[in-house]
Amino acid sequence: MGLDMYLYALDDEDLNSFNKIKTILKETPDTEYSKEEDELLEKFYDKKGDELAYWRKANAIHKFFCDYGEVVDEHIYYIIPRKLLVELLKKCMQVLIIGDKTYSEETLPTCGGFFFGSLEYNEFYYNYLEETVNTLAKILKEYKNDYFLYCASW
C-alpha cells in the first residue's frame, strides 16, 4: 500500500477522448452516465500497455503533476503537456546539482498523504529525483508525443 504513480503516452485519439471526458465530468452527475459515456470513461481510465514511467512514493513528483497538470479527475488523473515534463526534468536537475534542503523545499516540495512516503529531503528523495531525470530524459528523447497521462493510486 502506498502512492503508486504512472505516466502514459497519449495519442490524438486519447486526446479526443479526454476532451469528451472533460465535458462529461463537468456536465453530468456521476449517476447519470449513458452507456456510451461509461464505456468512454472506462476505456480512458483503463489505459494500459503504453506505460512509460512508474514511481513509488515519490510525493514531490506527484505534487508537481497535481499542481501543474490539467485535471481529468482530481488527485488521480492529469493530462501532462510535453513542456511540463521538460520543466520537471530541469527542476530535478537543478535540485540535484544544488543539493540544498532549502532550495529543494522551494523548488520541488514534498507533500503528505495517506501512505505517500517520507516528507524528508533525504537520500530517498534525491534518489527518486535522479531516477526521474533518467526516465524523463529517455521519454523526451524516444517519444514525440505532445501530451501524456499521469495517474496516481494509493
Side-chain angles (χ1 to χ4, degrees):
M1 191 178 284
L3 178 61
D4 293 305
M5 306 150 51
Y6 306 88
L7 190 69
Y8 299 95
L10 292 179
D11 57 24
D12 290 339
E13 180 184 340
D14 295 324
L15 288 174
N16 289 335
S17 295
F18 167 65
N19 288 325
K20 290 177 187 174
I21 286 168
K22 276 197 324 191
T23 302
I24 292 168
L25 293 174
K26 193 183 253 184
E27 298 175 359
T28 310
D30 289 348
T31 57
E32 297 181 16
Y33 295 143
S34 70
K35 183 178 180 182
E36 180 183 318
E37 290 170 337
D38 270 337
E39 288 173 2
L40 183 65
L41 288 165
E42 186 174 317
K43 179 182 176 200
F44 190 76
Y45 289 156
D46 280 347
K47 194 154 181 50
K48 302 285 186 239
D50 48 2
E51 178 184 307
L52 304 180
Y54 170 78
W55 295 267
R56 176 133 176 97
K57 297 186 180 185
N59 58 60
I61 305 303
H62 175 72
K63 179 173 175 30
F64 180 86
F65 285 140
C66 292
D67 286 350
Y68 301 107
E70 184 176 353
V71 177
V72 178
D73 192 351
E74 195 167 2
H75 301 296
I76 300 173
Y77 295 96
Y78 293 83
I79 299 298
I80 307 298
R82 182 180 192 83
K83 67 182 180 181
L84 201 57
L85 292 183
V86 172
E87 184 179 335
L88 178 58
L89 174 62
K90 288 178 184 177
K91 284 181 178 272
C92 288
M93 290 173 66
Q94 290 168 338
V95 167
L96 289 168
I97 290 167
I98 294 171
D100 175 71
K101 180 185 176 203
T102 301
Y103 185 80
S104 300
E105 288 173 333
E106 293 169 358
T107 307
L108 280 173
T110 59
C111 70
F114 192 63
F115 294 112
F116 272 32
S118 174
L119 299 178
E120 299 297 317
Y121 297 89
N122 55 19
E123 185 178 348
F124 179 77
Y125 171 86
Y126 294 105
N127 283 344
Y128 74 65
L129 292 189
E130 192 171 311
E131 290 173 19
T132 300
V133 167
N134 294 333
T135 300
L136 293 182
K138 182 178 178 184
I139 289 169
L140 292 167
K141 181 179 179 183
E142 294 179 8
Y143 292 85
K144 300 305 174 200
N145 302 59
D146 290 326
Y147 295 93
F148 300 84
L149 176 67
Y150 169 71
C151 306
S153 64
W154 56 91

